[in-house]
């Protein structure tokens, strides 16, 4: 994890990306999602009067959609900090042109880096299990591109992929694709520290205490529920060309003073 040793008085934050940045599955009582970007904004706002925040992320977006729908909007806001996380949805598709994905990510970074004081990129977390192993080569190819772009454009890279704690299945929701509230809290802490702020949790990357694994019956029940509630609908959307984000507006489309969850 790269860290800025002298934090600037950052007065604004714009978050760009997909469901990870929208905050799924950090569910609030009203049915909306919070997530690491909101948690980070709340911390920054507590230290900077008049702090402004926008979150353009929409679940299900591919890197082409992020570039077309979010990047120019974010660049025009001239925020102090922009976070960009995208491309992982592409790597999870059965067919993925990694050259195209990396080219689009490069385009996004080249547009965003000059428009802000600090661009933040990430090596996204991966849940331990067969899905990660199947797509690991693509993910690592994407992350190598992230590192290279950061070096060229002065961006920070938050290494969540390399944090053992964030691979723990207990920090992932039942859909096995999105972090729990505790997972998002740890991500917010990681980004906070990368920006040079004093740590509030110096052990965010430390794995949770070991517990006895669930028994065979519990695992099979969980597998069946996952397949019924999440895997089959996901396959259905892929076959019909639909996305979970179709028709959804950005989470916080305007750069406005942060006053808590939307």
């Amino acid at each position: 994890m790269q860290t800025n040793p002298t934090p600037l008085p950052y007065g604004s934050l714009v978050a760009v990306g997909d469901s990870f940045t929208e905050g799924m599955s950090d569910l609030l009582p009203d049915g909306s999602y919070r997530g690491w970007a909101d948690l980070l904004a709340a911390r920054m706002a507590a230290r900077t009067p008049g702090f402004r925040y926008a979150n353009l992320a929409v679940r299900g977006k591919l890197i082409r959609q992020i570039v077309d729908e979010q990047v120019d909007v974010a660049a025009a806001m001239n925020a102090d900090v922009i976070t960009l996380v995208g491309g992982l949805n592409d790597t999870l598709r059965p067919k993925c042109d990694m050259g195209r994905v990396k080219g689009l990510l490069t385009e996004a970074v080249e547009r965003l880096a000059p428009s802000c004081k600090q661009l933040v990129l990430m090596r996204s977390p991966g849940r331990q299990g067969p899905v990660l192993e199947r797509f690991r080569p693509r993910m690592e190819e994407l992350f190598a591109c992230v590192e290279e772009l950061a070096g060229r454009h002065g961006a920070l890279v938050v290494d969540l992929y390399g944090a053992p704690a964030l691979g723990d299945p207990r920090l992932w929701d039942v859909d096995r694709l999105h972090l729990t509230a505790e997972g998002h809290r740890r991500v917010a802490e990681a980004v906070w520290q990368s920006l040079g702020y004093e740590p509030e949790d110096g052990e965010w990357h430390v794995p949770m205490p070991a517990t006895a694994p669930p028994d065979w019956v519990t695992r099979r029940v969980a597998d069946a529920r996952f397949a019924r509630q999440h895997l089959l609908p996901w396959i259905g959307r892929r076959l019909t060309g639909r996305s979970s984000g179709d028709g959804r507006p950005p989470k916080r489309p305007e750069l406005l003073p942060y006053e808590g969850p939307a």
Side-chain angles (χ1 to χ4, degrees), residues 3 7 31 41-42 59 70 73 93 111 158 172 208 215 227 232 257:
T3 302
R59 67 194 68 173
Q70 300 179 33
V73 177
R93 295 293 178 105
R111 289 196 220 171
V158 184
W172 293 75
M208 297 170 64
D215 59 37
L232 292 177

Side-chain angles (χ1 to χ4, degrees), residues 9 13 30 70 81 87 89-90 106-107 124-125 139 147 155 158 163 174 181 186 188 196 198 210 229 235 246 249 258:
L13 167 68
D30 66 359
Q70 300 179 33
V81 178
N89 282 336
D90 297 79
T106 299
E107 182 180 341
S124 304
M139 293 170 64
E147 295 279 6
V158 184
V174 294
R186 291 181 184 232
E198 199 67 28
Q229 296 182 357
I235 293 173
D246 288 348
Y258 182 76

